Amino acid sequence: MSNVMGALLCGLVGALLLWAGLHDAARVRRLRHHGVRTAGMVVDNVRVRDNDSGPTWAPIIAFADQHGYRVEFTPSMRGSGMGLATGREVTVVYLPHDPQTARVFTRRHMTGPVVFVLAVALVFLGIGAAIAVSG
């Protein structure tokens, strides 16, 4: 009975993560095809958490949308190699009707979150399948 519950739980988590990853992939596709590109500036780096290896920092990026309003956002992809120095100019892409969908227009920042979520989804689905087969 516990094997069935484990398989179902892992399968459910995997399916939800798969849906989230595919939804994010569709957003990236819309950003690439219909997004407005503009210059953004890294205005600050804020500490988001401390762990055993030290603090983790997240850049705050500001840009002006097509109506001239200032928009600030923090990229969702963080970690080693993802940092952006304060004062650096970056290309930003956002959907015209929703500037809060903004992302830094680099391969790492556009596809990194999608790849990570899809990989975790596949791990959960694989574990769920392995539990189902072994039980």
Side-chain angles (χ1 to χ4, degrees):
M1 185 63 165
S2 66
N3 282 352
V4 172
M5 290 302 292
L8 287 175
L9 184 62
C10 284
L12 179 63
V13 169
L16 289 173
L17 287 170
L18 184 63
W19 177 84
L22 293 174
H23 185 267
D24 200 31
R27 180 182 300 128
V28 167
R29 181 177 160 82
R30 283 193 308 276
L31 283 168
R32 284 198 174 129
H33 292 290
H34 305 292
V36 176
R37 289 171 181 81
T38 190
M41 180 70 67
V42 180
V43 295
D44 198 5
N45 274 285
V46 296
R47 184 183 299 221
V48 290
R49 71 171 184 239
D50 287 320
N51 55 26
D52 294 336
S53 62
T56 302
W57 298 87
I60 297 176
I61 300 168
F63 67 95
D65 70 7
Q66 66 192 69
H67 301 292
Y69 295 111
R70 179 182 168 106
V71 178
E72 291 185 357
F73 75 99
T74 301
S76 60
M77 193 68 182
R78 299 184 191 120
S80 179
M82 300 302 289
L84 298 168
T86 301
R88 179 177 173 186
E89 188 172 306
V90 294
T91 302
V92 173
V93 62
Y94 67 94
L95 293 175
H97 62 279
D98 188 9
Q100 293 300 321
T101 60
R103 291 205 181 179
V104 178
F105 194 65
T106 64
R107 181 178 301 274
R108 284 183 179 176
H109 285 277
M110 293 288 286
T111 60
V114 174
V115 171
F116 179 76
V117 171
L118 289 176
V120 173
L122 291 177
V123 167
F124 271 97
L125 290 172
I127 291 170
I131 292 171
V133 168
S134 70

